[in-house]
Amino acid sequence: MASTVALSMTKWSLDLASQLIRADVRLHNQEIIKDDMAIIFVVNHFTRLETLLLPYIIHKHTGKEIWGLAAAELFKGRLGKYLQSTGTVSTADPDRDRIIVHALLNGEHPWMIFPEGAMIKDKKVVDPSGQFSIFSGGKRRPPHTGAAVLALRAEFYRQKLSCLAERPDNEESMSKAFALFDLPPDADVINKRTVIIPVNITYFPMRARDNVVLRLARLFAKDLNKRALEELSVEGTVLSEDTDIDITLGEPIDVNKYLQAPEYASVMACGLNDMESLETDPGSVFNEAARSLMLRYMESIYQLTTINYDHIFATLIRYQKGACSTERAYRNRIFLCAHQLRKLGHHRLHGVLERTYRDIVFEDPSPKFEDFTKLCLKEGLIIREGNTYRKNMDVERGAADFHTIRFHELTNVIANEIEPLVTVTALIKNAAVMPRNLLSRRIREIFLEEDERYFEEDYAQFFDPEGSHGPDVGRPFFLKPRNPKAGIILAHGYLAAPMEVRAMAEYFYERGYAVYGVRLRGHGTAPEDLVERSWEDWYTSYNRGYAVIKSVTDNIIVGGFSTGGCLALIAAARKGLKVQAAFSICAPLQVNNYSIRLVPSLVSLNSILKRLGQGKESWDYVVNEPENSHINYRKNPLRGVRELVEVMNVTESVLSEVTVPTLVVQASSDPIVSPISGQLIFDKLGSSFKEFVMVSRDRHGIINGAGREDVYSHVEHFLNRAPHHGIVQIAESGPTPDKGE
């Protein structure tokens, strides 16, 4: 009863804490827990929090009350009484092992044991040869085999009891065996199986910062020692900051399999005497099996690590070949690592890494990347020099005291955490030393292949003999001269396809520019494809083109026609000085058909009608009469129009953030886009160097047909007149920059 009350109090306090803090605690793979299991959870140990957190979380998700071991030093005062009331046993308790074996045989409570035997503050669990090795008591030692021995003993006794139960004269032997472990007569020992479940707890981000817990401690104790400061800085941050805590359960390890080896045949024979004798020297029989079992669950614990941005970045810097690197090079290498890890599929990636790792290579804002960069700068691991980062070769890693290492060398601790993942560290090391040209080519191949695959799949899925054009109209294209002086990402307009910008691309290709003709997802196939896409899908398509272009040059220009022009301006705002110039041609902020603003409401009405079974009454498409009927769709999905409205809204909201040289071109009598759009865009731009050109045309598609080269010439002359007598050179500075990355 006492343990249930204490567990309830823990639940209440942690539920309250979870509302006050922003920690996101997630349990993965809990479905592997079955009712017939007698379980020892073996868990990695980094903070004191785990002693309370893990039992609470597992109970919350499974209803099982977890008992555990805790350091003897904690069993003092109120905390000690509390731990005892929750079923926690001191590591110094002389009856510790008998209590655990009793509980495992009875199957009444799973147990939680930290095989490392102490908090591993440096996260260093393997030695240079790859063997598990823990720092404890001033020296390094192997992890404890205690959990393995206890599990083997419990399963050994269970098998003995199962054997005795099959004998006709078993009552006396069974009674003695039950008495040996104080088991009640009705204990269901035989129908249980002893398993060890590896558990990994990964914190992200790990930081040592000022926090509420530390400030409160300072109020009550003015003279906190270094160890206390370090522990409160790290563990208080875990509680009080926006930290993700991933708890992952591994596949259960069937302990009985370790007793089936030939060397145990004699002791596994049916009989009670060897059970009694084993209790006098419990480790002697199972030493070798226990060591083998320990190595297996230690490996499994760390294979379950949830890999995050910090792991990759810290390990990249550890193995960095050259002294200097650009931000672009770091981003490229992080992306390649994440991409390859996803393809392997062997490891859990943190949700933020899984969802946003492409933002790294697209060079949009990446708070996690920037946060870790600040940590590296703070620790002096890297030094910023202009647009490059120099690795500080004078910093001695691993020199900090064990009890303060998380405070002074957290980047080292983070890299240590994934050292046991040999495949992962080898993959990251390979990316860290990969020559820049090879790295660029790999990234280019990834995105060219992906864009081609998306087009082929979409075209095959949505092809309509009446609504689709030939594949050459919709296929993205890449034009690359031998030594490009700059690169242009060029996007087409709404309802169009890459063919719309092909002539313009070839004009600039002939003048020494690399050009990627983007296919905005949903275009170039059939109108039904466009129904499925959001404006974010279009922007991601644009970014794939960006990744291709930046793999061949650091001089990057973002541009586009109509909706493509909007996307170019959004890219310029988000990427900032990572691009050198931007241009938009007939980009819409306002359109001549004012009813377009009603479309989002019509789409919502359509959805309601369909839910009410009135799909026939809905209005999904309107007829489109394009200037270029061999390129554009001839019907316009309202869902696509809704996304177009959203693009216009987003574009207007970010124009003040566009600070690179920017050209705005607008047709004077555009029948589609209100000519006032060009002036509005120009006025709202944050650029100090910007130009607005109004060309005398009475059509929207001014990049094709008569007079198109006049438009191209305006763009070319603008790029030549940009500051510094051409394309602004900002990516290349500092010693040995990673050109093309």
Side-chain angles (χ1 to χ4, degrees):
M1 177 64 180
S3 64
T4 301
V5 171
L7 190 67
S8 297
M9 290 299 292
T10 302
K11 180 181 183 302
W12 176 85
S13 60
L14 286 174
D15 276 340
L16 177 61
S18 67
Q19 295 176 36
L20 297 176
I21 65 175
R22 291 177 290 172
D24 185 3
V25 184
R26 297 169 293 214
L27 181 66
H28 306 286
N29 209 27
Q30 64 266 29
E31 63 275 6
I32 56 95
I33 298 175
K34 307 298 181 185
D35 289 337
D36 68 336
M37 293 177 175
I39 303 169
I40 294 181
F41 293 105
V42 287
V43 192
N44 61 317
H45 198 13
F46 183 63
T47 72
R48 300 186 192 279
L49 175 66
E50 290 117 11
T51 304
L52 298 175
L53 179 67
L54 187 64
Y56 159 68
I57 292 296
I58 292 180
H59 175 74
K60 179 180 178 180
H61 287 272
T62 69
K64 295 185 180 296
E65 294 185 11
I66 313 300
W67 288 9
L69 291 175
E73 64 197 54
L74 297 178
F75 286 82
K76 297 175 183 177
R78 292 182 179 179
L79 177 59
K81 292 179 180 178
Y82 171 77
L83 290 173
Q84 288 177 330
S85 70
T86 61
T88 305
V89 176
S90 167
T91 52
D93 190 321
D95 293 324
R96 176 192 69 186
D97 292 358
R98 186 176 292 271
I99 292 169
I100 295 173
V101 172
H102 163 89
L104 290 172
L105 285 171
N106 203 20
E108 56 186 350
H109 294 291
W111 279 82
M112 177 181 71
I113 295 176
F114 301 111
E116 296 155 343
M119 287 196 300
I120 309 303
K121 294 184 175 183
D122 62 357
K123 289 280 186 182
K124 184 79 174 174
V125 295
V126 292
D127 63 21
S129 68
Q131 299 298 310
F132 285 104
S133 177
I134 308 299
F135 183 86
S136 178
K139 61 181 181 180
R140 304 201 73 83
R141 57 161 176 79
H144 293 317
T145 58
V149 169
L150 290 167
L152 288 164
R153 282 172 65 189
E155 187 59 20
F156 172 77
Y157 299 138
R158 193 184 315 283
Q159 295 302 316
K160 289 286 186 177
L161 290 169
S162 178
C163 181
L164 290 172
E166 295 176 1
R167 288 185 172 183
D169 57 342
N170 66 357
E171 289 188 14
E172 183 178 354
S173 297
M174 291 290 286
S175 178
K176 287 183 178 180
F178 273 53
L180 189 63
F181 290 101
D182 299 322
L183 293 169
D186 60 345
D188 185 13
V189 177
I190 296 172
N191 294 318
K192 298 285 184 181
R193 56 192 174 108
T194 311
V195 300
I196 290 180
I197 296 182
V199 182
N200 181 277
I201 303 180
T202 311
Y203 301 95
F204 177 69
M206 275 195 285
R207 295 293 184 269
R209 293 173 176 153
D210 187 32
N211 56 73
V212 174
V213 175
L214 180 58
R215 289 194 292 271
L216 286 172
R218 281 174 168 153
L219 287 177
F220 294 100
K222 303 295 184 184
D223 55 346
L224 291 173
N225 60 36
K226 290 183 179 180
R227 180 173 176 178
L229 282 170
E230 187 266 358
E231 291 185 2
L232 290 169
S233 295
V234 175
E235 297 174 30
T237 300
V238 167
L239 288 170
S240 62
E241 294 290 332
D242 188 11
T243 305
D244 293 337
I245 305 175
D246 283 281
I247 302 172
T248 306
L249 309 185
E251 291 302 310
I253 300 171
D254 189 345
V255 176
N256 185 42
K257 290 182 179 179
Y258 284 78
L259 297 173
Q260 303 306 312
E263 57 265 33
Y264 299 119
S266 60
V267 295
M268 291 301 291
C270 207
L272 181 61
N273 292 339
D274 50 0
M275 291 178 67
E276 294 171 327
S277 62
L278 180 60
E279 282 305 287
T280 64
D281 189 9
S284 60
V285 179
F286 301 124
N287 278 341
E288 190 57 37
R291 183 176 180 278
S292 177
L293 182 53
M294 178 271 289
L295 291 175
R296 179 175 172 185
Y297 61 63
M298 285 298 294
E299 180 180 4
S300 182
I301 287 171
Y302 282 92
Q303 289 296 319
L304 296 169
T305 301
T306 301
I307 300 171
N308 56 53
Y309 275 118
D310 290 0
H311 290 137
I312 295 174
F313 205 166
T315 307
L316 278 172
I317 294 176
R318 172 174 286 184
Y319 292 115
Q320 181 179 328
K321 188 174 181 180
C324 294
S325 179
T326 61
E327 177 183 323
R328 178 163 289 168
Y330 279 140
R331 284 175 173 265
N332 283 351
R333 295 182 197 277
I334 291 171
F335 162 79
L336 186 61
C337 291
H339 178 78
Q340 292 176 334
L341 287 170
R342 288 184 80 251
K343 286 187 69 175
L344 281 177
H346 298 158
H347 300 277
R348 182 182 299 279
L349 302 188
H350 186 272
V352 172
L353 180 61
E354 182 79 44
R355 293 189 304 272
T356 69
Y357 79 101
R358 286 167 173 267
D359 292 346
I360 285 282
V361 78
F362 294 159
E363 300 186 333
D364 281 352
S366 178
K368 298 301 183 185
F369 175 87
E370 291 153 13
D371 182 59
F372 191 78
T373 302
K374 289 178 183 177
L375 175 63
C376 293
L377 290 168
K378 176 186 174 185
E379 290 189 357
L381 184 62
I382 58 176
I383 300 168
R384 181 181 280 128
E385 296 178 341
N387 294 315
T388 65
Y389 294 95
R390 179 170 59 83
K391 184 177 177 180
N392 189 352
M393 300 298 188
D394 297 328
V395 172
E396 185 180 358
R397 310 309 290 171
D401 177 76
F402 178 79
H403 291 296
T404 60
I405 192 168
R406 297 182 299 186
F407 196 80
H408 299 293
E409 294 186 22
L410 194 53
T411 52
N412 200 32
V413 173
I414 291 167
N416 287 344
E417 185 169 30
I418 61 168
E419 262 191 325
L421 282 64
V422 178
T423 303
V424 175
T425 54
L427 182 152
I428 298 172
K429 183 177 181 180
N430 182 60
V433 301
M434 185 178 291
R436 57 186 176 85
N437 291 337
L438 177 58
L439 177 65
S440 295
R441 187 166 70 247
R442 288 277 176 85
I443 290 175
R444 180 164 65 251
E445 289 169 352
I446 287 169
F447 286 101
L448 286 173
E449 184 278 329
E450 186 173 88
D451 243 6
E452 179 70 15
R453 174 166 48 83
Y454 282 155
F455 172 69
E456 293 290 348
E457 291 173 353
D458 293 347
Y459 194 82
Q461 179 181 352
F462 292 100
F463 177 76
D464 174 7
E466 295 184 0
S468 299
H469 300 296
D472 289 345
V473 172
R475 195 184 305 278
F477 60 84
F478 180 41
L479 307 178
K480 178 184 175 296
R482 184 172 181 83
N483 293 301
K485 62 182 179 182
I488 301 173
I489 305 100
L490 190 57
H492 59 79
Y494 179 66
L495 300 179
M499 182 65 76
E500 182 177 55
V501 296
R502 181 78 192 209
M504 185 174 185
E506 290 178 349
Y507 176 93
F508 281 96
Y509 168 68
E510 290 169 0
R511 284 154 180 79
Y513 292 85
V515 186
Y516 192 81
V518 174
R519 180 185 77 99
L520 305 180
R521 199 87 188 267
H523 294 78
T525 52
E528 289 72 21
D529 187 6
L530 193 54
V531 174
E532 305 292 322
R533 310 302 174 189
S534 67
W535 81 266
E536 288 92 344
D537 292 330
W538 304 343
Y539 183 66
T540 300
S541 301
Y542 195 89
N543 271 328
R544 283 195 292 274
Y546 181 84
V548 171
I549 286 297
K550 84 182 186 76
S551 74
V552 298
T553 178
D554 284 322
N555 297 328
I556 301 169
I557 302 155
V558 291
F561 168 71
S562 193
T563 301
C566 287
L567 295 170
L569 293 169
I570 294 171
R574 293 185 176 181
K575 302 177 197 307
L577 296 181
K578 294 179 179 67
V579 303
Q580 280 65 64
F583 65 86
S584 71
I585 303 171
C586 296
L589 280 196
Q590 292 186 13
V591 293
N592 289 326
N593 185 355
Y594 295 104
S595 62
I596 192 174
R597 295 289 179 179
L598 300 176
V599 167
S601 299
L602 287 174
V603 172
S604 299
L605 178 60
N606 283 346
S607 299
I608 294 171
L609 289 172
K610 289 176 180 178
R611 284 199 298 270
L612 295 175
Q614 303 296 318
K616 292 182 179 180
E617 305 299 325
S618 64
W619 188 24
D620 293 321
Y621 296 89
V622 293
V623 174
N624 181 46
E625 297 179 356
E627 293 176 3
N628 298 301
S629 59
H630 65 292
I631 294 175
N632 293 65
Y633 292 152
R634 288 182 287 272
K635 62 179 184 178
N636 184 0
L638 293 188
R639 286 184 178 272
V641 177
R642 179 184 62 182
E643 298 306 311
L644 173 59
V645 171
E646 187 63 24
V647 165
M648 291 159 57
N649 292 337
V650 173
T651 302
E652 187 167 16
S653 71
V654 301
L655 287 173
S656 63
E657 300 169 33
V658 177
T659 57
V660 298
T662 304
L663 170 68
V664 180
V665 181
Q666 177 63 52
S668 61
S669 300
D670 192 326
I672 306 296
V673 171
S674 173
I676 198 174
S677 291
Q679 188 68 53
L680 288 173
I681 291 171
F682 179 79
D683 291 343
K684 292 175 180 289
L685 286 171
S687 308
S688 59
F689 185 89
K690 57 184 179 179
E691 290 187 8
F692 175 47
V693 176
M694 181 76 79
V695 295
S696 180
R697 299 287 190 280
D698 59 359
R699 54 195 172 84
H700 178 58
I702 61 174
I703 61 170
N704 288 301
R708 64 186 184 182
E709 292 207 358
D710 290 344
V711 177
Y712 307 162
S713 180
H714 282 302
V715 176
E716 182 184 10
H717 290 162
F718 168 77
L719 296 179
N720 290 333
R721 290 196 305 273
H724 305 286
H725 307 289
I727 304 305
V728 186
Q729 301 284 336
I730 59 168
E732 296 284 347
S733 65
T736 59
D738 286 314
K739 185 177 180 180
E741 296 187 357

